[in-house]
Amino acid sequence: MEYSLLCHASHAASLPPVRHKLLVLCIMLSLWAYTLYCCIGYCSSVPSLAADPGEPTSLHALPTELLNGDGGDLDSSLSRVDEWEEGRTLNGSETKKLPQAIIIGVKKGGTRALLEFLRLHPDIRAVGAEPHFFDRNYEKGLEWYRDLMPKSLEGQITMEKTPSYFVTKEVPGRIYAMSKDTKLIVVVRDPVTRAISDYTQTRSKKPDIPSFESLTFKNTTAGLIDSTWSALQIGMYARHLDRWLRYFPINQMLFVSGERLISDPAGEMARVQDFLGLRRVVTEKYFHFNPAKGFPCLKKPESNSKPHCLGKTKGRTHPNIHPDVVQQLRDFYKPFNKKFYYMTGQDFGWD
């Protein structure tokens, strides 16, 4: 082919001008076609460079903590949410979805009450038991976690609650790896009252534990508070919140007052429903205050049936703690509370 083109070119000078131009044009077209032919033949012989569908195709497909080398023990197969389908179709339009919202804390703050109130809403589907996936069962994988979720319809929100998430270091990054859009709810309570309630629960299971005062102080005479005691650590809300804000913006978190959840459940539920983008269905007509229990019970609107209260483990009588000990704890928590108020933009009135 190349020899033929050269032969034609050698006779070009003796041809008339018009025929000369046509011949040059033909030669150029032939060269272009030959070049294209060679390129196609080369490309077909090169192995495919297409990305493995199981691997992220760009840095943007990886969670931020992995790009920064902070992934810890995250399983690579769990850190890529795009590998998981939005939900498996079950029985027509019903699906099992990973939760879009999670109540992450805090222990003895009122999380059980909030979950029960939320389950009254027709657009909420929630797991009753605490899955503890992100702190105790993470190695079982997202598919195991999804299977724990209830079936839901299009437009319904799937939820779970595990109060220990808020204080567990690895959890923020793990939830972010599942979905950076997860809405997070934290029920908080006066940290002093919360610590006493925490101790009361433990003592109901282990009656022989030391007194609250002896666990509170490293040295009772010096009045040095033992901040390593878990019952006191949980109440340092600002310290725990710092970790969450490395992954989630503050407007993706809602901080519910445990005190107002008792004194004004309908008001706090209005805030929660707004945060989740839901209609305000759960209103004051669903609540009945139980003076003996000291917190609201649930009732069916326009019904004479007996109100449903939380279990016997809720509303335990707290032990009497010496006022001096309570005041020392208030002084201890004051700087943490002040920072927490600033971070959340809410004054919870604990001081």
Side-chain angles (χ1 to χ4, degrees), residues 100-103 114-126 152-159 183 185 254 266-283:
Q100 298 107 307
I102 303 176
I103 300 173
L114 177 61
L115 185 70
E116 292 303 314
F117 297 169
L118 280 169
R119 293 175 79 179
L120 296 172
H121 201 291
D123 294 332
I124 290 286
R125 299 289 287 125
S152 62
L153 298 170
E154 184 66 30
Q156 290 182 319
I157 294 176
T158 301
M159 293 188 66
K183 291 188 175 183
I185 300 175
L254 179 70
E268 282 300 280
M269 282 302 298
R271 293 181 61 238
V272 176
Q273 290 170 99
D274 290 349
F275 173 71
L276 295 173
L278 298 173
R279 297 169 293 138
R280 290 188 179 183
V281 172
V282 185
T283 58

Side-chain angles (χ1 to χ4, degrees), residues 115-153:
L115 185 70
E116 292 303 314
F117 297 169
L118 280 169
R119 293 175 79 179
L120 296 172
H121 201 291
D123 294 332
I124 290 286
R125 299 289 287 125
V127 183
E130 296 173 4
H132 282 280
F133 172 66
F134 293 104
D135 59 348
R136 299 180 190 172
N137 296 299
Y138 193 60
E139 73 286 348
K140 294 181 180 178
L142 282 176
E143 200 62 31
W144 178 87
Y145 185 44
R146 191 207 303 275
D147 283 341
L148 297 179
M149 299 301 128
K151 300 173 186 177
S152 62
L153 298 170

Side-chain angles (χ1 to χ4, degrees), residues 93-318:
S93 60
E94 289 187 327
T95 62
K96 281 196 172 187
K97 303 186 187 78
L98 293 170
Q100 298 107 307
I102 303 176
I103 300 173
I104 59 173
V106 297
K107 180 184 178 185
K108 306 310 297 178
T111 58
R112 171 55 59 185
L114 177 61
L115 185 70
E116 292 303 314
F117 297 169
L118 280 169
R119 293 175 79 179
L120 296 172
H121 201 291
D123 294 332
I124 290 286
R125 299 289 287 125
V127 183
E130 296 173 4
H132 282 280
F133 172 66
F134 293 104
D135 59 348
R136 299 180 190 172
N137 296 299
Y138 193 60
E139 73 286 348
K140 294 181 180 178
L142 282 176
E143 200 62 31
W144 178 87
Y145 185 44
R146 191 207 303 275
D147 283 341
L148 297 179
M149 299 301 128
K151 300 173 186 177
S152 62
L153 298 170
E154 184 66 30
Q156 290 182 319
I157 294 176
T158 301
M159 293 188 66
E160 70 116 317
K161 77 105 176 172
T162 304
S164 54
Y165 287 165
F166 187 63
V167 299
T168 306
K169 291 188 292 185
E170 298 83 7
V171 171
R174 290 174 174 178
I175 293 180
Y176 182 92
M178 177 189 73
S179 174
K180 64 180 180 180
D181 299 318
T182 306
K183 291 188 175 183
L184 307 168
I185 300 175
V186 190
V187 187
V188 290
R189 183 183 183 187
D190 180 336
V192 177
T193 308
R194 197 222 65 81
I196 297 171
S197 179
D198 197 337
Y199 171 81
T200 303
Q201 182 184 54
T202 303
R203 193 179 67 170
S204 70
K205 300 174 182 177
K206 300 177 181 178
D208 57 342
I209 64 170
S211 68
F212 181 85
E213 289 84 353
S214 63
L215 291 171
T216 296
F217 298 101
K218 287 182 179 179
N219 186 314
T220 307
T221 306
L224 184 62
I225 289 176
D226 186 1
S227 61
T228 64
W229 183 29
S230 62
L232 299 184
Q233 270 190 340
I234 293 172
M236 304 176 198
Y237 303 137
R239 182 174 293 178
H240 305 301
L241 181 56
D242 268 331
R243 284 196 298 268
W244 288 89
L245 293 180
R246 296 171 195 168
Y247 294 90
F248 297 95
I250 194 71
N251 61 5
Q252 207 168 310
M253 304 181 74
L254 179 70
F255 300 90
V256 176
S257 166
E259 287 83 11
R260 286 196 292 272
L261 201 58
I262 294 173
S263 63
D264 182 20
E268 282 300 280
M269 282 302 298
R271 293 181 61 238
V272 176
Q273 290 170 99
D274 290 349
F275 173 71
L276 295 173
L278 298 173
R279 297 169 293 138
R280 290 188 179 183
V281 172
V282 185
T283 58
E284 62 277 351
K285 62 185 180 181
Y286 281 88
F287 299 104
H288 168 78
F289 188 79
N290 185 322
K293 280 276 188 181
F295 54 76
C297 298
L298 301 174
K299 66 176 183 178
K300 292 181 179 179
E302 300 159 0
S303 172
N304 294 324
S305 61
K306 186 178 179 180
H308 166 67
C309 297
L310 296 178
K312 295 179 180 179
T313 61
K314 307 300 177 183
R316 295 186 185 95
T317 302
H318 290 180

Side-chain angles (χ1 to χ4, degrees), residues 1 26-40:
M1 185 175 181
C26 290
I27 292 170
M28 292 178 65
L29 288 173
S30 299
L31 289 171
W32 177 82
Y34 179 73
T35 303
L36 182 62
Y37 170 81
C38 293
C39 289
I40 293 173

